Amino acid sequence: MKFWLYYWPSIPGRGEFIRLALEAAQADYIDVGRNQGSAAVAERVHRGDHFAPPILDTEHESLSHVAHILAWIAGPLDLAPSGEREFRRMIQLQLTLTDFVAEIHDTHHPLCTSLYYEEQQAAARTAARHFRADRLPTFLDYFEQTLRDNPFGDDWLVGDRCTTLDLSLFQVVRGLKYAFPNAMTRFDTPRLADLTARVAHRRGIRGYLNSDRCIAFNNDGVFRHYPELDEQT
Amino acid sequence: MKFWLYYWPSIPGRGEFIRLALEAAQADYIDVGRNQGSAAVAERVHRGDHFAPPILDTEHESLSHVAHILAWIAGPLDLAPSGEREFRRMIQLQLTLTDFVAEIHDTHHPLCTSLYYEEQQAAARTAARHFRADRLPTFLDYFEQTLRDNPFGDDWLVGDRCTTLDLSLFQVVRGLKYAFPNAMTRFDTPRLADLTARVAHRRGIRGYLNSDRCIAFNNDGVFRHYPELDEQT
């Protein structure tokens, strides 16, 4: 199966969750934004069948929303758990990650996306302080416990093999370490740390992370490093 | 199939999307929060297999996240489109609604959920102003166009029959009219208006809306009416 990924070319953003799955499976895909520029992505979005990127096309179908795309490609890419119940649980936990990512985004853009960060910095400081104190530990603890409570062992979040969900959580932890380096040192989540290391060492992922296809985090994406939003040391 | 719905008893909130599906299908369900109080809901959440309510249990399985629950029960409740592609499209559009609902919620709680509305009212005014100007018309236009472009006709969002997605959009439009009565008069979305009327007149829904099982909107839920956040006339 051949894939066309439509996402903004200059940020990892939400597109990176799809890219990691495609790269882990060494799938045949074209990163349209990187190849043809952001106008090609905008043109694709304006066709109207999707509300927003990332969009993933095959020759036969076209899907948007990270959790939905991943549920669709996990099987074909051999990144799904074996059982149907675990598959449903994978989708469910991916939707919890979706919520987590939205809350991370809103720390630097709490008021709206149409104002620059600099125009809502005071609100962002308040939002980030509450996020670091309440939501960040709640979400991290939840995923740490999910690993601990997996009846198949604590290597992966669901079942006994690596799924698209593990790749996504890896990306969220990386993004959080970029965005909130001080706050992230506070947490004792050994299973999450092991999972992150395990994903980083997979062949497809290791090669990708060292390639020029992998876009570094920067302050235009979901995960942004503004020192004033991090914990002060 | 018998269902147990776990959601806070005093608000429609996100639980209402599940309730509407169960009621439209006149399904056999127990609304645990309404029957046993919010402590029973809290106890269910604290078991740890779900991040947050709504949670829907059967005798065999347990799911959370509105879009995920609806995808799971749409078939059994006879509220799914006939084709597999339409089913995937239904899930996708439900996830767009999920994002819309989160943005609606954030108009009154832009900074965090741990502060009261009154403690973040200034930020909420700015957030709501931008929401009414940018995001509200963008989302409403998108769903109006989705109805217009449905190759099966503009009665329903996907395929040629009522699905859980139509019930959810009905609830969002109702909620928006409660929250932003002035702003909502500005929009010319005739297909959305027809859809809302069509859903309201379905037998299961009409009976439910007139019953005491249906919780009125109030200022503790997702949709809240604060006149200062609406357009000023």
Side-chain angles (χ1 to χ4, degrees), chain A residues 51, chain B residues 133-143 187:
Chain A
F51 189 78
Chain B
D134 301 332
R135 302 298 284 174
L136 181 57
T138 303
F139 275 105
L140 291 177
D141 287 351
Y142 179 74
F143 285 104
F187 300 106

Side-chain angles (χ1 to χ4, degrees), chain A residues 71-121:
Chain A
W72 187 46
I73 62 177
L77 298 187
D78 201 25
L79 287 165
S82 350
E84 273 190 35
R85 291 172 73 97
E86 284 71 38
F87 189 78
R88 280 192 288 275
R89 187 151 169 80
M90 178 188 80
I91 295 174
Q92 178 173 302
L93 288 161
Q94 186 76 45
L95 288 170
T96 305
L97 268 188
T98 300
D99 290 347
F100 192 11
V101 170
E103 293 196 27
I104 294 165
H105 171 272
D106 290 353
T107 57
H108 52 76
H109 273 76
L111 300 185
C112 60
T113 49
S114 46
L115 292 176
Y116 289 109
Y117 167 66
E118 289 71 19
E119 299 174 283
Q120 52 189 306
Q121 200 189 115

